Short mmCIF file of all heavy atoms in Angstrom, two decimals:
data_model
loop_
_atom_site.label_atom_id
_atom_site.label_comp_id
_atom_site.label_asym_id
_atom_site.label_seq_id
_atom_site.Cartn_x
_atom_site.Cartn_y
_atom_site.Cartn_z
N TYR A 156 4.84 -39.34 66.76
CA TYR A 156 3.52 -39.85 67.06
C TYR A 156 3.53 -41.35 66.98
O TYR A 156 4.45 -41.95 66.49
CB TYR A 156 2.48 -39.25 66.09
CG TYR A 156 2.49 -39.81 64.66
CD1 TYR A 156 1.69 -40.87 64.34
CD2 TYR A 156 3.30 -39.27 63.70
CE1 TYR A 156 1.70 -41.38 63.08
CE2 TYR A 156 3.34 -39.70 62.46
CZ TYR A 156 2.55 -40.79 62.12
OH TYR A 156 2.54 -41.29 60.87
N ASP A 157 2.53 -41.97 67.54
CA ASP A 157 2.35 -43.41 67.49
C ASP A 157 0.84 -43.71 67.40
O ASP A 157 0.04 -42.79 67.16
CB ASP A 157 3.01 -44.11 68.67
CG ASP A 157 2.48 -43.67 70.00
OD1 ASP A 157 1.30 -43.29 70.11
OD2 ASP A 157 3.25 -43.76 70.99
N ASP A 158 0.46 -44.94 67.62
CA ASP A 158 -1.00 -45.29 67.50
C ASP A 158 -1.83 -44.65 68.63
O ASP A 158 -3.04 -44.62 68.51
CB ASP A 158 -1.17 -46.81 67.55
CG ASP A 158 -0.69 -47.48 66.24
OD1 ASP A 158 -0.64 -46.76 65.21
OD2 ASP A 158 -0.38 -48.64 66.26
N ASN A 159 -1.21 -44.25 69.69
CA ASN A 159 -1.95 -43.71 70.85
C ASN A 159 -1.83 -42.18 70.97
O ASN A 159 -2.74 -41.55 71.49
CB ASN A 159 -1.43 -44.33 72.14
CG ASN A 159 -1.69 -45.83 72.14
OD1 ASN A 159 -2.76 -46.31 71.78
ND2 ASN A 159 -0.68 -46.61 72.50
N LYS A 160 -0.75 -41.61 70.50
CA LYS A 160 -0.60 -40.13 70.66
C LYS A 160 -0.09 -39.54 69.37
O LYS A 160 0.82 -40.09 68.74
CB LYS A 160 0.42 -39.85 71.78
CG LYS A 160 -0.08 -40.27 73.14
CD LYS A 160 0.52 -39.40 74.16
CE LYS A 160 -0.01 -39.82 75.50
NZ LYS A 160 -0.64 -38.80 76.24
N LYS A 161 -0.73 -38.41 69.02
CA LYS A 161 -0.29 -37.68 67.79
C LYS A 161 -0.36 -36.19 68.12
O LYS A 161 -1.19 -35.77 68.95
CB LYS A 161 -1.24 -37.93 66.63
CG LYS A 161 -1.19 -39.34 66.09
CD LYS A 161 -2.13 -39.42 64.90
CE LYS A 161 -2.23 -40.82 64.38
NZ LYS A 161 -3.17 -40.89 63.22
N VAL A 162 0.46 -35.42 67.48
CA VAL A 162 0.34 -33.96 67.60
C VAL A 162 0.36 -33.37 66.21
O VAL A 162 0.88 -33.97 65.24
CB VAL A 162 1.50 -33.30 68.40
CG1 VAL A 162 1.47 -33.73 69.83
CG2 VAL A 162 2.83 -33.64 67.84
N LEU A 163 -0.27 -32.23 66.08
CA LEU A 163 -0.25 -31.48 64.83
C LEU A 163 0.33 -30.13 65.14
O LEU A 163 -0.09 -29.44 66.07
CB LEU A 163 -1.67 -31.31 64.29
CG LEU A 163 -1.78 -30.46 63.01
CD1 LEU A 163 -2.16 -31.33 61.84
CD2 LEU A 163 -2.80 -29.37 63.16
N VAL A 164 1.36 -29.77 64.39
CA VAL A 164 2.05 -28.46 64.61
C VAL A 164 1.88 -27.68 63.33
O VAL A 164 2.22 -28.14 62.25
CB VAL A 164 3.53 -28.65 64.93
CG1 VAL A 164 4.21 -27.30 65.16
CG2 VAL A 164 3.73 -29.54 66.16
N ALA A 165 1.39 -26.45 63.45
CA ALA A 165 1.16 -25.60 62.29
C ALA A 165 1.73 -24.21 62.59
O ALA A 165 1.55 -23.72 63.72
CB ALA A 165 -0.32 -25.48 61.95
N PHE A 166 2.41 -23.64 61.64
CA PHE A 166 2.98 -22.30 61.74
C PHE A 166 2.40 -21.36 60.72
O PHE A 166 2.16 -21.76 59.57
CB PHE A 166 4.52 -22.31 61.52
CG PHE A 166 5.24 -23.16 62.47
CD1 PHE A 166 5.56 -24.49 62.21
CD2 PHE A 166 5.69 -22.63 63.68
CE1 PHE A 166 6.28 -25.26 63.11
CE2 PHE A 166 6.38 -23.41 64.63
CZ PHE A 166 6.67 -24.70 64.30
N ASN A 167 2.20 -20.14 61.11
CA ASN A 167 1.85 -19.06 60.15
C ASN A 167 2.90 -17.99 60.30
O ASN A 167 2.88 -17.22 61.30
CB ASN A 167 0.44 -18.50 60.43
CG ASN A 167 0.13 -17.38 59.49
OD1 ASN A 167 0.88 -17.07 58.55
ND2 ASN A 167 -1.02 -16.72 59.70
N LYS A 168 3.86 -17.96 59.36
CA LYS A 168 4.90 -16.97 59.45
C LYS A 168 4.51 -15.60 58.80
O LYS A 168 5.22 -14.63 58.92
CB LYS A 168 6.20 -17.47 58.75
CG LYS A 168 6.72 -18.69 59.41
CD LYS A 168 8.07 -19.15 58.84
CE LYS A 168 8.38 -18.89 57.42
NZ LYS A 168 9.69 -19.36 56.99
N GLY A 169 3.31 -15.58 58.18
CA GLY A 169 2.85 -14.35 57.50
C GLY A 169 2.30 -13.30 58.46
O GLY A 169 2.14 -13.54 59.66
N ASP A 170 2.04 -12.15 57.91
CA ASP A 170 1.51 -11.05 58.71
C ASP A 170 -0.04 -10.95 58.61
O ASP A 170 -0.62 -9.98 59.05
CB ASP A 170 2.11 -9.72 58.33
CG ASP A 170 1.98 -9.35 56.87
OD1 ASP A 170 1.35 -10.13 56.11
OD2 ASP A 170 2.40 -8.29 56.46
N LYS A 171 -0.66 -11.96 58.00
CA LYS A 171 -2.13 -12.01 57.90
C LYS A 171 -2.62 -13.36 58.40
O LYS A 171 -1.89 -14.37 58.36
CB LYS A 171 -2.57 -11.81 56.43
CG LYS A 171 -2.23 -10.45 55.90
CD LYS A 171 -2.69 -10.29 54.48
CE LYS A 171 -2.29 -8.90 54.02
NZ LYS A 171 -2.31 -8.75 52.62
N GLN A 172 -3.85 -13.37 58.83
CA GLN A 172 -4.53 -14.59 59.23
C GLN A 172 -4.45 -15.62 58.10
O GLN A 172 -4.56 -15.24 56.97
CB GLN A 172 -5.95 -14.31 59.64
CG GLN A 172 -6.76 -15.49 60.16
CD GLN A 172 -8.06 -15.02 60.65
OE1 GLN A 172 -8.16 -14.37 61.66
NE2 GLN A 172 -9.13 -15.42 59.98
N ALA A 173 -4.30 -16.88 58.45
CA ALA A 173 -4.22 -17.93 57.39
C ALA A 173 -5.19 -19.04 57.76
O ALA A 173 -5.42 -19.40 58.89
CB ALA A 173 -2.84 -18.49 57.33
N ALA A 174 -5.78 -19.61 56.68
CA ALA A 174 -6.68 -20.77 56.78
C ALA A 174 -5.93 -21.99 56.36
O ALA A 174 -5.32 -22.02 55.28
CB ALA A 174 -7.93 -20.51 55.94
N LEU A 175 -6.00 -23.01 57.19
CA LEU A 175 -5.32 -24.30 56.88
C LEU A 175 -6.36 -25.40 56.68
O LEU A 175 -6.95 -25.83 57.66
CB LEU A 175 -4.35 -24.64 58.03
CG LEU A 175 -3.60 -25.93 57.92
CD1 LEU A 175 -2.64 -25.87 56.69
CD2 LEU A 175 -2.81 -26.18 59.18
N PRO A 176 -6.65 -25.82 55.48
CA PRO A 176 -7.59 -26.88 55.29
C PRO A 176 -7.05 -28.22 55.84
O PRO A 176 -5.98 -28.67 55.48
CB PRO A 176 -7.77 -27.00 53.79
CG PRO A 176 -6.93 -25.93 53.19
CD PRO A 176 -6.06 -25.33 54.23
N VAL A 177 -7.78 -28.81 56.74
CA VAL A 177 -7.30 -30.05 57.40
C VAL A 177 -7.39 -31.23 56.46
O VAL A 177 -6.76 -32.28 56.71
CB VAL A 177 -8.07 -30.34 58.73
CG1 VAL A 177 -7.78 -29.25 59.74
CG2 VAL A 177 -9.53 -30.50 58.49
N ALA A 178 -8.07 -31.15 55.32
CA ALA A 178 -8.11 -32.18 54.37
C ALA A 178 -6.73 -32.59 53.85
O ALA A 178 -6.50 -33.71 53.46
CB ALA A 178 -9.05 -31.83 53.21
N ARG A 179 -5.80 -31.64 53.91
CA ARG A 179 -4.42 -31.89 53.47
C ARG A 179 -3.79 -33.02 54.28
O ARG A 179 -2.83 -33.64 53.90
CB ARG A 179 -3.55 -30.66 53.60
CG ARG A 179 -3.91 -29.54 52.68
CD ARG A 179 -3.00 -28.36 52.89
NE ARG A 179 -1.60 -28.73 52.89
CZ ARG A 179 -0.65 -27.85 53.24
NH1 ARG A 179 -0.95 -26.64 53.61
NH2 ARG A 179 0.63 -28.24 53.22
N PHE A 180 -4.28 -33.18 55.52
CA PHE A 180 -3.70 -34.17 56.42
C PHE A 180 -4.60 -35.32 56.70
O PHE A 180 -4.59 -35.96 57.77
CB PHE A 180 -3.38 -33.46 57.76
CG PHE A 180 -2.60 -32.16 57.53
CD1 PHE A 180 -3.22 -30.96 57.59
CD2 PHE A 180 -1.25 -32.21 57.24
CE1 PHE A 180 -2.54 -29.77 57.39
CE2 PHE A 180 -0.54 -31.02 57.01
CZ PHE A 180 -1.17 -29.81 57.06
N SER A 181 -5.44 -35.70 55.75
CA SER A 181 -6.48 -36.71 55.94
C SER A 181 -5.92 -38.04 56.37
O SER A 181 -6.52 -38.77 57.13
CB SER A 181 -7.33 -36.82 54.67
OG SER A 181 -6.54 -37.28 53.62
N GLU A 182 -4.75 -38.46 55.85
CA GLU A 182 -4.19 -39.73 56.20
C GLU A 182 -3.86 -39.80 57.72
O GLU A 182 -4.21 -40.71 58.42
CB GLU A 182 -2.97 -40.02 55.38
CG GLU A 182 -2.35 -41.38 55.67
CD GLU A 182 -1.17 -41.70 54.78
OE1 GLU A 182 -1.06 -41.15 53.66
OE2 GLU A 182 -0.32 -42.54 55.24
N MET A 183 -3.20 -38.74 58.19
CA MET A 183 -2.82 -38.68 59.61
C MET A 183 -4.00 -38.46 60.53
O MET A 183 -4.04 -38.91 61.67
CB MET A 183 -1.76 -37.60 59.86
CG MET A 183 -1.19 -37.59 61.25
SD MET A 183 -0.10 -36.22 61.54
CE MET A 183 -1.12 -35.16 62.49
N LEU A 184 -5.00 -37.69 60.05
CA LEU A 184 -6.16 -37.35 60.86
C LEU A 184 -7.35 -38.28 60.74
O LEU A 184 -8.40 -38.05 61.35
CB LEU A 184 -6.60 -35.91 60.48
CG LEU A 184 -5.61 -34.82 60.78
CD1 LEU A 184 -6.16 -33.48 60.30
CD2 LEU A 184 -5.29 -34.73 62.25
N SER A 185 -7.16 -39.41 60.06
CA SER A 185 -8.19 -40.38 59.92
C SER A 185 -8.73 -40.80 61.31
O SER A 185 -7.96 -41.25 62.14
CB SER A 185 -7.70 -41.61 59.14
OG SER A 185 -8.72 -42.54 59.04
N GLY A 186 -10.03 -40.63 61.54
CA GLY A 186 -10.60 -40.98 62.79
C GLY A 186 -10.47 -39.98 63.91
O GLY A 186 -10.88 -40.20 65.07
N VAL A 187 -9.83 -38.86 63.61
CA VAL A 187 -9.56 -37.80 64.66
C VAL A 187 -10.58 -36.64 64.41
O VAL A 187 -10.61 -36.09 63.35
CB VAL A 187 -8.13 -37.26 64.58
CG1 VAL A 187 -7.93 -36.16 65.58
CG2 VAL A 187 -7.13 -38.39 64.78
N ALA A 188 -11.36 -36.35 65.43
CA ALA A 188 -12.36 -35.29 65.30
C ALA A 188 -11.94 -33.98 65.88
O ALA A 188 -12.46 -32.90 65.51
CB ALA A 188 -13.67 -35.76 65.95
N ARG A 189 -11.01 -34.03 66.82
CA ARG A 189 -10.63 -32.78 67.55
C ARG A 189 -9.23 -32.83 68.08
O ARG A 189 -8.67 -33.95 68.19
CB ARG A 189 -11.61 -32.43 68.65
CG ARG A 189 -11.59 -33.47 69.78
CD ARG A 189 -12.77 -33.33 70.74
NE ARG A 189 -14.05 -33.49 70.13
CZ ARG A 189 -14.61 -34.67 69.83
NH1 ARG A 189 -13.96 -35.78 70.12
NH2 ARG A 189 -15.79 -34.74 69.29
N GLY A 190 -8.69 -31.69 68.37
CA GLY A 190 -7.37 -31.62 69.00
C GLY A 190 -7.39 -30.49 70.03
O GLY A 190 -8.14 -29.54 69.95
N THR A 191 -6.55 -30.69 71.05
CA THR A 191 -6.48 -29.70 72.17
C THR A 191 -5.15 -28.96 72.06
O THR A 191 -4.07 -29.55 72.02
CB THR A 191 -6.54 -30.44 73.51
OG1 THR A 191 -7.75 -31.25 73.50
CG2 THR A 191 -6.54 -29.46 74.66
N ASP A 192 -5.24 -27.59 72.08
CA ASP A 192 -4.11 -26.74 72.09
C ASP A 192 -3.31 -27.01 73.33
O ASP A 192 -3.83 -26.85 74.47
CB ASP A 192 -4.55 -25.30 72.04
CG ASP A 192 -3.41 -24.29 71.82
OD1 ASP A 192 -2.39 -24.41 72.56
OD2 ASP A 192 -3.57 -23.39 71.00
N VAL A 193 -2.04 -27.39 73.24
CA VAL A 193 -1.25 -27.77 74.42
C VAL A 193 -0.88 -26.55 75.27
O VAL A 193 -0.53 -26.72 76.40
CB VAL A 193 0.04 -28.54 74.01
CG1 VAL A 193 -0.31 -29.81 73.31
CG2 VAL A 193 0.98 -27.66 73.20
N ILE A 194 -1.02 -25.35 74.70
CA ILE A 194 -0.73 -24.14 75.51
C ILE A 194 -1.94 -23.57 76.19
O ILE A 194 -1.93 -23.26 77.39
CB ILE A 194 -0.03 -23.06 74.61
CG1 ILE A 194 1.32 -23.63 74.15
CG2 ILE A 194 0.16 -21.73 75.36
CD1 ILE A 194 1.96 -22.80 73.03
N THR A 195 -3.04 -23.43 75.44
CA THR A 195 -4.23 -22.78 75.99
C THR A 195 -5.30 -23.73 76.53
O THR A 195 -6.16 -23.37 77.26
CB THR A 195 -4.91 -21.89 74.95
OG1 THR A 195 -5.44 -22.70 73.91
CG2 THR A 195 -3.94 -20.87 74.35
N GLY A 196 -5.26 -25.01 76.08
CA GLY A 196 -6.26 -25.97 76.45
C GLY A 196 -7.52 -25.90 75.61
O GLY A 196 -8.46 -26.65 75.80
N LYS A 197 -7.57 -24.96 74.65
CA LYS A 197 -8.72 -24.79 73.78
C LYS A 197 -8.84 -26.03 72.88
O LYS A 197 -7.87 -26.45 72.30
CB LYS A 197 -8.62 -23.53 72.94
CG LYS A 197 -9.79 -23.32 72.00
CD LYS A 197 -9.62 -22.05 71.20
CE LYS A 197 -10.80 -21.93 70.20
NZ LYS A 197 -10.65 -20.81 69.31
N VAL A 198 -10.10 -26.50 72.70
CA VAL A 198 -10.35 -27.65 71.84
C VAL A 198 -10.74 -27.11 70.48
O VAL A 198 -11.55 -26.25 70.32
CB VAL A 198 -11.48 -28.53 72.41
CG1 VAL A 198 -11.80 -29.63 71.41
CG2 VAL A 198 -11.06 -29.12 73.76
N HIS A 199 -10.08 -27.65 69.43
CA HIS A 199 -10.37 -27.32 68.04
C HIS A 199 -10.95 -28.48 67.33
O HIS A 199 -10.44 -29.58 67.33
CB HIS A 199 -9.03 -26.93 67.31
CG HIS A 199 -8.35 -25.68 67.88
ND1 HIS A 199 -8.56 -24.46 67.30
CD2 HIS A 199 -7.50 -25.55 68.89
CE1 HIS A 199 -7.83 -23.58 67.96
NE2 HIS A 199 -7.19 -24.20 68.96
N GLU A 200 -12.11 -28.21 66.68
CA GLU A 200 -12.72 -29.26 65.83
C GLU A 200 -11.91 -29.35 64.54
O GLU A 200 -11.50 -28.33 64.03
CB GLU A 200 -14.21 -28.91 65.55
CG GLU A 200 -15.06 -28.90 66.78
CD GLU A 200 -15.16 -30.22 67.52
OE1 GLU A 200 -15.18 -31.26 66.83
OE2 GLU A 200 -15.13 -30.21 68.74
N LEU A 201 -11.74 -30.56 64.07
CA LEU A 201 -10.89 -30.76 62.86
C LEU A 201 -11.75 -31.24 61.67
O LEU A 201 -11.36 -32.13 60.96
CB LEU A 201 -9.79 -31.77 63.18
CG LEU A 201 -8.84 -31.32 64.26
CD1 LEU A 201 -7.86 -32.44 64.64
CD2 LEU A 201 -8.09 -30.07 63.87
N SER A 202 -12.90 -30.57 61.51
CA SER A 202 -13.79 -30.97 60.47
C SER A 202 -13.52 -30.36 59.09
O SER A 202 -13.78 -30.93 58.09
CB SER A 202 -15.23 -30.72 60.89
OG SER A 202 -15.37 -29.35 61.16
N SER A 203 -12.94 -29.14 59.09
CA SER A 203 -12.72 -28.52 57.81
C SER A 203 -11.48 -27.64 57.73
O SER A 203 -10.55 -27.98 57.02
CB SER A 203 -13.99 -27.69 57.40
OG SER A 203 -14.19 -26.67 58.37
N THR A 204 -11.45 -26.54 58.50
CA THR A 204 -10.33 -25.60 58.38
C THR A 204 -9.91 -25.11 59.75
O THR A 204 -10.71 -24.81 60.57
CB THR A 204 -10.76 -24.39 57.51
OG1 THR A 204 -11.18 -24.89 56.23
CG2 THR A 204 -9.66 -23.43 57.31
N LEU A 205 -8.60 -25.01 59.92
CA LEU A 205 -8.04 -24.35 61.11
C LEU A 205 -7.65 -22.92 60.73
O LEU A 205 -7.10 -22.72 59.65
CB LEU A 205 -6.82 -25.06 61.61
CG LEU A 205 -7.02 -26.42 62.28
CD1 LEU A 205 -5.68 -27.09 62.56
CD2 LEU A 205 -7.79 -26.24 63.59
N THR A 206 -7.92 -21.98 61.61
CA THR A 206 -7.53 -20.60 61.35
C THR A 206 -6.33 -20.25 62.23
O THR A 206 -6.39 -20.43 63.45
CB THR A 206 -8.69 -19.65 61.66
OG1 THR A 206 -9.81 -20.02 60.82
CG2 THR A 206 -8.32 -18.20 61.37
N LEU A 207 -5.28 -19.75 61.60
CA LEU A 207 -4.05 -19.42 62.31
C LEU A 207 -3.90 -17.92 62.32
O LEU A 207 -3.93 -17.24 61.28
CB LEU A 207 -2.83 -20.08 61.65
CG LEU A 207 -2.89 -21.57 61.53
CD1 LEU A 207 -1.74 -22.07 60.72
CD2 LEU A 207 -2.82 -22.21 62.92
N ALA A 208 -3.62 -17.38 63.50
CA ALA A 208 -3.37 -15.94 63.65
C ALA A 208 -2.03 -15.59 62.98
O ALA A 208 -1.19 -16.45 62.81
CB ALA A 208 -3.34 -15.57 65.13
N PRO A 209 -1.85 -14.33 62.64
CA PRO A 209 -0.58 -13.89 62.07
C PRO A 209 0.61 -14.19 63.01
O PRO A 209 0.46 -14.09 64.21
CB PRO A 209 -0.73 -12.38 61.88
CG PRO A 209 -2.21 -12.13 61.89
CD PRO A 209 -2.79 -13.23 62.77
N SER A 210 1.69 -14.56 62.42
CA SER A 210 2.93 -14.83 63.18
C SER A 210 2.69 -15.74 64.41
O SER A 210 3.04 -15.34 65.53
CB SER A 210 3.62 -13.50 63.61
OG SER A 210 3.88 -12.72 62.47
N SER A 211 2.08 -16.86 64.16
CA SER A 211 1.74 -17.71 65.29
C SER A 211 2.04 -19.20 65.01
O SER A 211 2.29 -19.57 63.86
CB SER A 211 0.24 -17.60 65.61
OG SER A 211 -0.52 -18.19 64.60
N ALA A 212 1.99 -19.97 66.06
CA ALA A 212 2.14 -21.41 65.97
C ALA A 212 0.98 -22.04 66.71
O ALA A 212 0.48 -21.48 67.70
CB ALA A 212 3.44 -21.86 66.56
N LEU A 213 0.54 -23.17 66.25
CA LEU A 213 -0.55 -23.92 66.89
C LEU A 213 -0.04 -25.35 67.07
O LEU A 213 0.40 -26.00 66.15
CB LEU A 213 -1.78 -23.93 66.02
CG LEU A 213 -3.02 -24.65 66.53
CD1 LEU A 213 -3.53 -24.05 67.84
CD2 LEU A 213 -4.09 -24.68 65.47
N ILE A 214 -0.08 -25.85 68.31
CA ILE A 214 0.32 -27.21 68.62
C ILE A 214 -0.87 -27.91 69.26
O ILE A 214 -1.33 -27.53 70.34
CB ILE A 214 1.52 -27.23 69.61
CG1 ILE A 214 2.67 -26.39 69.08
CG2 ILE A 214 1.95 -28.70 69.86
CD1 ILE A 214 3.75 -26.16 70.05
N LEU A 215 -1.39 -28.89 68.49
CA LEU A 215 -2.58 -29.63 68.97
C LEU A 215 -2.23 -31.06 69.34
O LEU A 215 -1.53 -31.74 68.55
CB LEU A 215 -3.65 -29.67 67.88
CG LEU A 215 -4.22 -28.37 67.42
CD1 LEU A 215 -5.25 -28.59 66.32
CD2 LEU A 215 -4.81 -27.56 68.53
N GLU A 216 -2.64 -31.50 70.51
CA GLU A 216 -2.59 -32.92 70.85
C GLU A 216 -3.89 -33.48 70.35
O GLU A 216 -4.97 -33.04 70.71
CB GLU A 216 -2.46 -33.11 72.38
CG GLU A 216 -2.31 -34.56 72.76
CD GLU A 216 -2.04 -34.76 74.21
OE1 GLU A 216 -2.10 -33.82 75.01
OE2 GLU A 216 -1.77 -35.92 74.54
N LEU A 217 -3.80 -34.46 69.46
CA LEU A 217 -4.96 -34.99 68.78
C LEU A 217 -5.64 -36.10 69.62
O LEU A 217 -4.97 -36.91 70.26
CB LEU A 217 -4.59 -35.51 67.44
CG LEU A 217 -3.89 -34.50 66.52
CD1 LEU A 217 -3.50 -35.15 65.20
CD2 LEU A 217 -4.74 -33.30 66.28
N ASP A 218 -6.95 -36.06 69.58
CA ASP A 218 -7.77 -37.07 70.29
C ASP A 218 -7.83 -38.31 69.43
O ASP A 218 -8.61 -38.36 68.46
CB ASP A 218 -9.13 -36.52 70.60
CG ASP A 218 -10.02 -37.48 71.35
OD1 ASP A 218 -9.57 -38.61 71.66
OD2 ASP A 218 -11.14 -37.16 71.64
N THR A 219 -7.03 -39.30 69.75
CA THR A 219 -6.97 -40.51 68.92
C THR A 219 -7.68 -41.68 69.59
O THR A 219 -7.57 -42.83 69.12
CB THR A 219 -5.52 -40.95 68.61
OG1 THR A 219 -4.82 -41.15 69.87
CG2 THR A 219 -4.79 -39.86 67.82
N LYS A 220 -8.46 -41.43 70.62
CA LYS A 220 -9.18 -42.53 71.31
C LYS A 220 -10.16 -43.14 70.37
O LYS A 220 -10.91 -42.48 69.61
CB LYS A 220 -9.92 -41.96 72.52
CG LYS A 220 -8.99 -41.44 73.57
CD LYS A 220 -9.78 -40.85 74.74
CE LYS A 220 -8.84 -40.17 75.69
NZ LYS A 220 -9.51 -39.37 76.67
N LYS A 221 -10.21 -44.45 70.37
CA LYS A 221 -11.17 -45.17 69.53
C LYS A 221 -12.56 -44.96 70.10
O LYS A 221 -12.79 -45.07 71.27
CB LYS A 221 -10.86 -46.67 69.50
CG LYS A 221 -9.43 -46.98 69.00
CD LYS A 221 -9.25 -46.58 67.54
CE LYS A 221 -7.88 -46.90 67.13
NZ LYS A 221 -7.40 -46.22 66.01
N GLN A 222 -13.50 -44.66 69.19
CA GLN A 222 -14.88 -44.37 69.62
C GLN A 222 -15.76 -45.52 69.30
O GLN A 222 -15.66 -46.27 68.47
CB GLN A 222 -15.34 -43.10 68.96
CG GLN A 222 -14.48 -41.95 69.44
CD GLN A 222 -14.98 -40.61 68.86
OE1 GLN A 222 -16.09 -40.49 68.30
NE2 GLN A 222 -14.22 -39.60 69.04
#
């Protein structure tokens, strides 16, 4: 990542849905409100928790545009 582009990659290797509190990544996510799934194009809000399906990966391109 750099000042213009960042990605967040999260894995859930378990067999149950998992909740990932985004507060753990507050330093990297400072000023970032949302990310776009690079595979599906779905936009995820990064306000509290991301939900990961069992045995899945989530790759988000983060919106780092200055507002």
